[in-house]
Amino acid sequence: MAQMIFVNLPVKDLETSKGFFEKLGYGINPQFTDDKTACVVLSDTIFVMLLTEPRFKEFTKKDIADAAKTTEVILALSADSRAKVDELADAALAAGGSPAGETQEMGFMYGRSFQDPDGHIWEVIWMDASAVEGQG
């Protein structure tokens, strides 16, 4: 079985956050969703658990970072093509996200970034695998 990742993110408004990710084309797994938590399915092995801030606080004794003011993590997603990078980034901006940085244009790699409604930073990256084969 492939290893899975469950990224847990605190959110201020669960319905707004769910709607944002649904507008990007991702599904919500109802089996792990309630009025305090939503499971966003990015792929067969990648899930984002959106937790209301009070629910998120149940899992940590630390303060919750305000992602609108501080960066706690940058989440990077791969894309199959440059066009897919633009498609997802443009959809995020249209769905209520905001820009998070300059476009990265490096020939063999192309990326754009955005912030979700809570300020979490997401990068979408395409890389030409043939340009990096044999390096390392």
Side-chain angles (χ1 to χ4, degrees), residues 4-9 11 13-34 37-51 77 88 116 122:
M4 295 185 208
I5 185 168
F6 295 84
V7 177
N8 294 273
L9 294 176
V11 299
D13 183 313
L14 185 60
E15 290 306 312
T16 296
S17 295
K18 280 173 48 179
F20 175 79
F21 287 99
E22 288 174 320
K23 287 176 186 170
L24 299 185
Y26 297 116
I28 305 293
N29 182 335
Q31 187 176 8
F32 301 106
T33 299
D34 58 28
T37 307
C39 178
V40 180
V41 180
L42 299 186
S43 76
D44 291 342
T45 59
I46 305 170
F47 307 88
V48 177
M49 300 300 297
L50 304 172
L51 299 113
L77 298 172
L88 185 57
D116 67 24
W122 294 81

Side-chain angles (χ1 to χ4, degrees), residues 71 74 85-86 89 93 97-105 110-116 119-125:
T71 301
I74 297 174
V85 169
D86 288 335
L93 298 176
S98 60
E102 299 298 319
T103 297
Q104 299 175 39
E105 175 60 72
Y110 176 75
R112 289 179 57 196
S113 57
F114 61 87
Q115 295 180 74
D116 67 24
H120 302 113
I121 299 174
W122 294 81
E123 289 186 342
V124 187
I125 304 291

Side-chain angles (χ1 to χ4, degrees), residues 40-88:
V40 180
V41 180
L42 299 186
S43 76
D44 291 342
T45 59
I46 305 170
F47 307 88
V48 177
M49 300 300 297
L50 304 172
L51 299 113
T52 62
E53 289 181 346
R55 179 70 174 128
F56 189 91
K57 188 68 180 144
E58 293 175 21
F59 295 94
T60 182
K61 293 180 179 174
K62 295 181 180 182
D63 291 337
I64 297 173
D66 182 348
K69 297 178 183 175
T70 61
T71 301
E72 80 284 28
V73 66
I74 297 174
L75 303 151
L77 298 172
S78 64
D80 292 336
S81 66
R82 295 168 65 94
K84 288 292 185 185
V85 169
D86 288 335
E87 184 180 308
L88 185 57

